[in-house]
Amino acid sequence: MAVTEAERRAMTHALALAARGPRGPNPQVGAVILSAAGEVIAEGWHRGAGTPHAEVDALSKLPPDAARGATAVVTLEPCNHTGRTGPCALALIDAGVSRVVYALDDPGAVSGGGAERLRTAGVEVESGEQADAATALITDWLTAQRLGRPHVTVKWAQSLDGRAAAADGTSQWITGPEARGDVHRRRAVADAIVVGTGTVLADDPALTARDGDALFEHQPVPVVIGSRETPADAALRRHPHEPLFFDTRDLTAVLADLHARGIQTVLVEGGPTLASAFIAAGLADRVLAYLAPVLLGGDRLALTDIGVASIVEARRLTIDEWVPLGADLLAIAHPARTEEGEL
């Protein structure tokens, strides 16, 4: 059976509900319960770890047996495991739901498999409705689940001719206030901000997320990679969070450590050397390139060696969005897929 127009509208609403939930170690999920006539009779969303999942939240608003024969529209495949809460697939079965429409399969080795459990119980299941929108909503969580590491965004600012600094090394400010404000807003939703020791020694960054002179409520954990000593009076040592230091070039090991600490999103701001290292290692899930309408010349490029020896080895990107920011332009992109489907 094809997805109905009422179910499509319900999925759009479920995605909006999901966005109300907090970002964190659990995915943002929304659910809408439709009557047999296609009318909304309940809705819910996940409010964070330890709270009822979206499906259970929606079902809790109905009297006993009111969901019998109903359709549940959910942004993520109903889970199939018992953690702090029970399996959502079982809750839907026990409630008598006859049909489930969801957007994305749950990639978790333990939590996945809810769709099969529903089908085994005689529940009709449709998947893939508005999958792209659902993916965009929980990209960070999906990366952590599929790859066992945080989702990595590599950011840099550059002149129109691709330079990150002038010949004397000065780089403040290539971009204007609108672009810098955008960076701080993105810091305020990242779990960690990563720089190299070179950036710490050259710029003495605070690595905080600021709204003017005030700090945003959420602050990313500062992470420094490199072997050089960070001065005792460095600005980042006054950060609200204790900085993490990694004396290694093994970026995969760094990300594994951050993942084990519950860090799910990483913003790399660490200058050309570190940005290039993440890209060369294939660890950049997203790129933020702030382009300023200035020319600097010289050899201080925004990126250095990224392992490209010929044009056929070029690391192709897919542009997701162009964002005007005052006189500057932000390119948001992700690695393009090859014909084999790999990044």
Side-chain angles (χ1 to χ4, degrees):
M1 177 179 174
V3 174
T4 67
E5 186 58 37
E7 290 166 349
R8 290 192 181 93
R9 290 194 301 269
M11 182 64 77
T12 299
H13 185 49
L15 287 165
L17 293 170
R20 298 181 186 180
R23 290 176 59 259
N26 293 329
Q28 295 166 290
V29 181
V32 173
I33 310 296
L34 298 176
S35 69
E39 298 171 339
V40 176
I41 57 175
E43 60 186 43
W45 67 92
H46 185 48
R47 291 168 171 81
T51 66
H53 288 190
E55 303 93 317
V56 174
D57 183 43
L59 290 171
S60 70
K61 298 168 184 174
L62 294 173
D65 293 330
R68 196 158 300 280
T71 295
V73 179
V74 194
T75 58
L76 183 68
E77 177 186 9
C79 69
N80 191 37
H81 80 298
T82 299
R84 296 187 186 181
T85 59
C88 293
L90 181 59
L92 292 169
I93 293 167
D94 290 344
V97 167
S98 63
R99 177 172 163 82
V100 173
V101 177
Y102 69 88
L104 291 176
D105 291 331
D106 186 330
V110 176
S111 56
E116 184 58 31
R117 186 171 190 171
L118 289 163
R119 290 190 181 99
T120 299
V123 178
E124 187 176 4
V125 178
E126 291 282 347
S127 64
E129 173 60 24
Q130 300 187 43
D132 288 347
T135 298
L137 180 67
I138 58 171
T139 293
D140 303 342
W141 181 82
L142 289 170
T143 299
Q145 292 295 307
R146 292 168 176 168
L147 302 180
R149 64 164 175 79
H151 183 275
V152 175
T153 297
V154 176
K155 165 263 174 185
W156 68 84
Q158 66 172 67
S159 63
L160 204 57
D161 56 346
R163 270 63 182 178
D168 64 355
T170 56
S171 60
Q172 295 180 324
W173 298 99
I174 290 178
T175 55
E178 294 87 352
R180 297 197 297 274
D182 185 77
V183 170
H184 281 279
R185 288 188 292 273
R186 293 179 187 277
R187 286 182 180 183
V189 296
D191 294 332
I193 180 169
V194 180
V195 298
T197 52
T199 294
V200 172
L201 296 174
D203 298 335
D204 192 25
L207 302 184
T208 52
R210 301 183 299 279
D211 183 7
D213 293 330
L215 295 180
F216 280 105
E217 180 178 356
H218 173 78
Q219 293 293 316
V221 175
V223 177
V224 181
I225 300 176
S227 58
R228 286 181 285 181
E229 186 69 25
T230 298
D233 61 349
L236 65 84
R237 293 191 182 275
R238 298 187 293 276
H239 194 282
H241 294 296
E242 187 73 22
L244 301 176
F245 297 94
F246 294 91
D247 183 2
T248 180
R249 294 185 179 183
D250 188 342
L251 299 181
T252 299
V254 171
L255 292 178
D257 184 289
L258 297 179
H259 178 66
R261 296 172 186 266
I263 289 174
Q264 195 163 272
T265 58
V266 164
L267 179 61
V268 177
E269 291 198 31
T273 300
L274 191 62
S276 300
F278 270 94
I279 292 172
L283 296 172
D285 302 301
R286 180 169 56 184
V287 164
L288 302 176
Y290 293 84
L291 312 178
V294 297
L295 301 175
L296 294 175
D299 59 0
R300 294 182 178 272
L301 298 173
L303 292 179
T304 57
D305 182 12
I306 57 171
V308 174
S310 66
I311 194 66
V312 297
E313 298 173 347
R315 294 179 179 269
R316 304 287 179 181
L317 300 176
T318 297
I319 297 293
D320 298 312
E321 191 175 2
W322 292 100
V323 183
L325 295 166
D328 306 315
L329 190 62
L330 168 61
I332 304 175
H334 66 269
R337 293 188 176 276
T338 65
E339 292 181 0
E340 292 78 23
E342 297 177 350
L343 292 179

